[in-house]
Amino acid sequence: MYRAGIYRGASQQETKLEFELLGALALTPVAKFLLDSLTNYFRGVQANKQYGRLSVVYTVAFALLPLGFAFFLRIWGIVPGRYLGYLAALAVGFCMLRALPAFRCRAAVLRREDKIGIVKYGVNQMLPACFHKSCRWWR
């Protein structure tokens, strides 16, 4: 890309370093998506305390860890710092998610007769729709 003129850094060596860093950070969109999904779920179920706590953990971890690692490892310290920041926030988020009441209830185990009744009900509800005049399946 440097030779083609698509990307121009200060030097070819600097460009190589920048692309290596970008490659090392390739999984950050996935981690960000997971974290955004967790925070959106907490907002959706009106678990505002968990949402606030997760936001604070994410902000603190994402601010301190990359800076701390960069202090010791220079530019390459940002990569493990970002990943550890995401990992810390996701771990706290999943722990809070498991503590929600919706995740503590167990599904009821149905008897065989109940399962057969559910299937019969589904078939009975589906068949009239298939033979309705607007349905072209049976013509």
Side-chain angles (χ1 to χ4, degrees):
M1 291 180 77
Y2 181 79
R3 288 186 183 147
I6 296 171
Y7 182 82
R8 290 254 186 229
S11 68
Q12 193 170 1
Q13 184 179 8
E14 219 174 87
T15 305
K16 183 181 175 191
L17 174 68
E18 290 170 357
F19 279 109
E20 287 175 0
L21 281 172
L22 286 175
L25 292 170
L27 292 178
T28 55
V30 175
K32 179 71 172 156
F33 174 76
L34 289 173
L35 190 63
D36 287 344
S37 298
L38 269 175
T39 55
N40 289 336
Y41 179 78
F42 287 138
R43 292 293 283 177
V45 297
Q46 297 177 351
N48 294 326
K49 287 183 181 180
Q50 286 85 350
Y51 171 78
R53 289 177 185 144
L54 183 59
S55 296
V56 168
V57 166
Y58 169 67
T59 303
V60 169
F62 210 67
L64 295 181
L65 287 173
L67 288 175
F69 276 87
F71 183 75
F72 294 108
L73 300 173
R74 303 196 184 230
I75 191 73
W76 285 101
I78 294 172
V79 175
R82 284 180 71 111
Y83 282 127
L84 286 175
Y86 277 124
L87 188 66
L90 285 171
V92 169
F94 281 121
C95 288
M96 287 191 293
L97 184 68
R98 292 198 50 152
L100 287 177
F103 286 88
R104 280 192 246 143
C105 63
R106 302 252 178 201
V109 178
L110 297 176
R111 297 176 301 159
R112 180 171 162 70
E113 295 82 23
D114 293 335
K115 292 178 186 177
I116 292 172
I118 290 171
V119 170
K120 286 181 181 177
Y121 177 77
V123 170
N124 285 334
Q125 293 298 313
M126 183 183 65
L127 283 178
C130 289
F131 293 109
H132 190 265
K133 65 180 180 179
S134 66
C135 181
R136 296 184 182 157
W137 172 74
W138 63 278
R139 289 187 204 167

